[in-house]
Amino acid sequence: MALLLRKRLILIETESSYGTDPTPDGADAVLVRDLNITPQQSDVVSRDLIRPYLGASEQLLANTRVECTFSVELAGSGTAGTAPQYGKALQACGLSETVAAGTSVTYAPVSASFGSVTIHYNIDGVRHKVTGCRGTFVINTNVGEIPTIDFTFTGIYNAPDDSALPSVTYANQATPLVFKNGNTDTFSLLSYSGSLQSAVFDVGNTLVYRELIGASKEVLMTDRASNGTVVLEAVTIAITSALRSRIAPWAT
């Protein structure tokens, strides 16, 4: 019987030891959208043999890894001082997590001791275990839409297996608010309070999958080049010039 693509889920759990599956369960389920997986992504090495007849050469596979992409709604856990369910994913994207009990949870970029997660991606009873996952993300906001965090993870390939869909509990993901006037009170860019249409922030992590002889397979985070775009309502030349003068010191 054909698998039902509609029956999918993703479990995410932090690894205490890099590349070791912590065996996530239904309590580790994350509510996502746009969930996709490339279950086997490899570099192709051609033998390029010279022979006295026509025909392609055999191709061999190297550096086999897995890529998983998904989006979460940009909303907190619903409880002050409780991390959102996708907080583990943020930490595997080179961020630290600081919890102030009953008050707040904040995330900040780090440049060492990067976290990692194991992802269990299940499609109607076929499970893909992706260990040693590290990733990057883009925050997307546009007026009249639900703001999202769009994740891209790279991890170590493990052979898929048959495993029934577990019973899941979705928690610590509040119902999101539409990005619009009223839900977002104020906006300013370099002290300029304009009328905002959309904003995009790309954390810009550089990920390298590495397999060295005598070493463990690993996804390395080698750099970060964050960038973004903001779309504002058109204004007069005078206001634009003033805004440019504020941006100039940041560009040097």
Side-chain angles (χ1 to χ4, degrees):
M1 186 175 73
L3 300 178
L4 295 178
L5 188 61
R6 187 68 179 86
K7 297 170 62 177
R8 290 177 295 162
L9 63 82
I10 183 172
L11 310 177
I12 301 176
E13 180 59 282
T14 300
E15 296 176 340
S16 56
S17 177
Y18 181 81
T20 301
D21 183 4
T23 316
D25 57 27
D28 299 308
V30 179
L31 199 57
V32 303
R33 51 200 281 185
D34 299 326
L35 176 60
N36 292 287
I37 191 170
T38 303
Q40 185 173 343
Q41 188 178 67
S42 304
D43 299 333
V44 178
V45 181
S46 177
R47 294 184 66 190
D48 293 331
L49 299 174
I50 298 174
R51 297 172 295 194
Y53 50 84
L54 303 180
S57 294
E58 180 184 7
Q59 293 182 326
L60 307 178
L61 300 182
N63 295 321
T64 299
R65 66 266 186 199
V66 180
E67 182 178 275
C68 183
T69 63
F70 58 90
S71 298
V72 300
E73 296 167 328
L74 181 54
S77 67
T79 304
T82 297
Q85 192 75 346
Y86 55 82
K88 299 169 186 176
L90 290 174
Q91 292 179 77
C93 292
L95 301 185
S96 63
E97 180 183 83
T98 302
V99 177
T103 302
S104 65
V105 180
T106 57
Y107 296 90
V110 296
S111 297
S113 302
F114 303 117
S116 64
V117 294
T118 285
I119 293 175
H120 283 195
Y121 178 109
N122 197 308
I123 309 173
D124 198 13
V126 175
R127 179 176 59 181
H128 298 264
K129 295 181 182 181
V130 194
T131 53
C133 293
R134 290 185 173 126
T136 189
F137 63 85
V138 178
I139 297 176
N140 275 294
T141 64
N142 194 62
V143 168
E145 299 178 3
I146 297 172
T148 61
I149 308 176
D150 305 329
F151 289 97
T152 299
F153 278 96
T154 301
I156 299 168
Y157 172 82
N158 297 269
D161 60 12
D162 292 328
S163 179
L165 287 164
S167 297
V168 299
T169 301
Y170 292 111
N172 298 328
Q173 288 182 261
T175 300
L177 296 176
V178 171
F179 189 66
K180 66 174 185 176
N181 192 337
N183 288 337
T184 300
D185 294 330
T186 59
F187 163 78
S188 66
L189 175 64
L190 301 177
S191 301
Y192 171 70
S193 297
S195 299
L196 177 65
Q197 170 63 38
S198 64
V200 175
F201 171 72
D202 184 352
V203 73
N205 291 334
T206 299
L207 302 172
V208 177
Y209 178 76
R210 188 176 72 173
E211 292 186 14
L212 298 183
I213 296 171
S216 299
K217 301 175 182 179
E218 186 174 4
V219 178
L220 300 174
M221 192 175 300
T222 60
D223 201 1
R224 179 187 297 117
S226 301
N227 63 89
T229 59
V230 175
V231 178
L232 303 174
E233 183 180 50
V235 293
T236 63
I237 299 299
I239 294 177
T240 302
S241 298
L243 183 58
R244 284 177 177 167
S245 68
R246 297 173 187 171
I247 294 175
W250 293 74
T252 57

